[in-house]
Amino acid sequence: MLDLLGSGAVANLAPSMLLLVLVGTAAGMAIGAMPGLSATMGLALLVPFTFVMEPTRALVLLGAFYMGAIYGGSFTAILVNAPGTPSSIATALEGYQMTKKGKSELAVVGATMGSLVGGIVGVVALIFLAPPLADFSLRFGPQEYFWVAVFGLTIIISMASGSLLKGLIGGVIGLLLATVGIAPVGGEVRFTFGEPMLQGGVPLVPAMVGLFTIPEVIRLVARKGREAQMVEEREHRQTLWHMVRLIFSRPVNLVRSSVIGTVIGILPGAGGSIANLVAYNEAKRSSKHPENYGKGEVDGVVAAESANNATVGGGMIPTLTIGVPGTPPDAIILGVLLLHGLRPGAELFTTSGDLVYTFIIALAVSAVMMVPVGLVAGRALQRGVIALPARYLAPGITVLTIVGAYAVRSSVVDVFIMLALGVLAYFLSLAGISSAPIVLGLILGSIAETGLVQGLLTAQGDANPWASFFTRPLSLVLIAMTVLSLLWPFVRRWRQRRARTAAAAAGDTSTAAGAPGDDVVVIADTLRKD
């Protein structure tokens, strides 16, 4: 294997190959930054150009494009609250809040460094852990996928920083939207109101763009300007080196989120849209200051971007070893492999080892190239967006969202769905209901329903089909994780309350001992705020 790795590294150092990786990374970033134009769509548009290319170069171009597209979605998520891809949903939660606080440049740098580390960790896992992890992914049946979806829904507790009830309302709205269209198992047509285009359900990309972007456009027009924000941006500007040091001063968050992204990428059908939210939730849960999340916390951006870029390498593990795409873009890359007469499996690594490892090393090179390209392009875009007057920015964003929603299925219905959900999200935000739980419910609703129905059907021969959800070893692990996720916020709140009580008791004791009473009150108040 070391010989193949060495030959792959040498092949990637050729000027023509480096140029190919650079072009693929930059093109992917450009597509990913456009709301609605997902990595899957961009790869599909790129496939015809690879028919005339040699297989190695075709795969390298697609891999670099994929890596760049996942990262590129963070730009618009941070700057205008418009996630370029579903993998950038959690990035928007913190990144846009940082933009409103005048710290968008720090958010862009955090996304870049997180994407670098996540991409490298995913590639390392692909190199060394492909066979055993691919075997692990095969152990997941319908029951496990149901519990994965339930575990994902517990993230709503973290997202509902203001009110748990409002967060749950948003999640229920998302689950209801997921029931529109033909049932994934059984084929019943539900809630389409006679519209054939709704038989495919509420499309994720137009819904996501509408729920996140349209409310901000309405607020942007209502504010009629962002002059105060521009002043704050100049006041908070830091040197690039200082920002990079700040990001890497928290290595645990980087590594943990990258590992989460890699593992979730291995599970067929999950991908970055789930990985970024799970990593964000874990970062918030383990933070010493979870109250800062939702208000512009750079660790949230780093966690989301580390996880979603790690899914690139993680998703390739089942794709290359057993021919099961880990994520939707992987299905396109698998198709290109088959078009060139290459079949996934152990034979692919032995008979076409040079090609495979050249492709794998190219993913790592693309992750490294994202840093200079992303910092130059991302910071330039950041400064351009900040300087652009609201009267130009609002219509520009609106046009992009309409084009992105239409491009998914070339359907005007999708545009109306996007606009309707956007207006609904604006009025829900006035009531304190966030868009994030709605999107989470929409993503996980179909996964939970499919897992539930298929699990019951596969266990029809048992005396109690429901028992299969509670007796499988992996299901028990996922149930334990779900319970822990549900209880952890209450445990943390109890610990904080206990610490405040202890601090107050310490303040009373000091006062009784004759310390200056006013000073003790000030110290106790400070401890309570902390």
Side-chain angles (χ1 to χ4, degrees), residues 129-216:
L129 304 176
L133 289 180
D135 180 65
F136 173 76
S137 70
L138 289 177
R139 299 175 184 270
F140 270 66
Q143 290 86 349
E144 282 76 20
Y145 277 107
F146 169 76
W147 287 116
V148 166
V150 173
F151 172 68
L153 288 171
T154 63
I155 298 173
I156 291 175
I157 296 176
S158 295
M159 292 180 174
S161 56
S163 168
L164 177 58
L165 177 61
K166 292 177 181 179
L168 292 175
I169 291 173
V172 170
I173 292 174
L175 290 173
L176 290 175
L177 291 174
T179 63
V180 174
I182 298 176
V185 179
E188 298 87 356
V189 180
R190 309 171 301 188
F191 310 122
T192 60
F193 305 102
E195 175 55 57
M197 287 301 296
L198 285 178
Q199 291 183 2
V202 175
L204 174 60
V205 173
M208 178 192 70
V209 171
L211 289 167
F212 279 103
T213 310
I214 297 301
E216 293 305 324

Side-chain angles (χ1 to χ4, degrees), residues 93-346:
L93 297 179
E94 298 297 333
Y96 187 66
Q97 295 300 320
M98 294 182 69
T99 295
K100 293 200 291 186
K101 293 168 65 175
K103 297 181 180 181
S104 58
E105 192 168 10
L106 175 59
V108 170
V109 174
T112 304
M113 296 301 116
S115 297
L116 166 66
V117 175
I120 296 297
V121 170
V123 171
V124 170
L126 175 59
I127 293 173
F128 294 104
L129 304 176
L133 289 180
D135 180 65
F136 173 76
S137 70
L138 289 177
R139 299 175 184 270
F140 270 66
Q143 290 86 349
E144 282 76 20
Y145 277 107
F146 169 76
W147 287 116
V148 166
V150 173
F151 172 68
L153 288 171
T154 63
I155 298 173
I156 291 175
I157 296 176
S158 295
M159 292 180 174
S161 56
S163 168
L164 177 58
L165 177 61
K166 292 177 181 179
L168 292 175
I169 291 173
V172 170
I173 292 174
L175 290 173
L176 290 175
L177 291 174
T179 63
V180 174
I182 298 176
V185 179
E188 298 87 356
V189 180
R190 309 171 301 188
F191 310 122
T192 60
F193 305 102
E195 175 55 57
M197 287 301 296
L198 285 178
Q199 291 183 2
V202 175
L204 174 60
V205 173
M208 178 192 70
V209 171
L211 289 167
F212 279 103
T213 310
I214 297 301
E216 293 305 324
V217 171
I218 296 173
R219 295 189 192 101
L220 195 63
V221 173
R223 284 200 301 266
K224 299 180 180 179
R226 300 174 302 151
E227 290 77 10
Q229 177 184 309
M230 291 167 60
V231 173
E232 290 178 2
E233 190 74 36
R234 288 192 293 269
E235 290 176 353
H236 286 95
R237 186 159 293 166
Q238 302 171 338
T239 63
L240 176 60
W241 176 241
H242 182 272
M243 290 185 284
V244 172
R245 284 181 59 192
L246 175 64
I247 301 305
F248 281 101
S249 66
R250 292 125 177 202
V252 174
N253 184 33
L254 282 164
V255 175
R256 179 186 59 240
S257 303
S258 300
V259 171
I260 289 172
T262 302
V263 173
I264 291 180
I266 294 167
L267 304 179
S273 57
I274 297 176
N276 77 111
L277 290 165
V278 173
Y280 172 81
N281 180 61
E282 293 304 313
K284 180 178 180 180
R285 184 158 49 188
S286 60
S287 174
K288 295 180 180 178
H289 300 285
E291 68 278 0
N292 292 339
Y293 281 73
K295 301 175 184 177
E297 174 58 58
V298 69
D299 282 345
V301 174
V302 172
E305 290 301 309
S306 300
N308 63 29
N309 273 85
T311 60
V312 176
M316 286 295 167
I317 292 174
T319 303
L320 297 179
T321 55
I322 58 177
V324 177
T327 63
D330 293 333
I332 295 175
I333 294 178
L334 175 62
V336 172
L337 273 173
L338 297 175
L339 283 172
H340 286 281
L342 302 168
R343 291 199 167 274

Side-chain angles (χ1 to χ4, degrees), residues 4 26 49 134 175 347 364 367 470 486-487:
L4 293 173
F49 296 96
L175 290 173
E347 186 179 352
F470 300 93
L486 288 170
L487 295 180

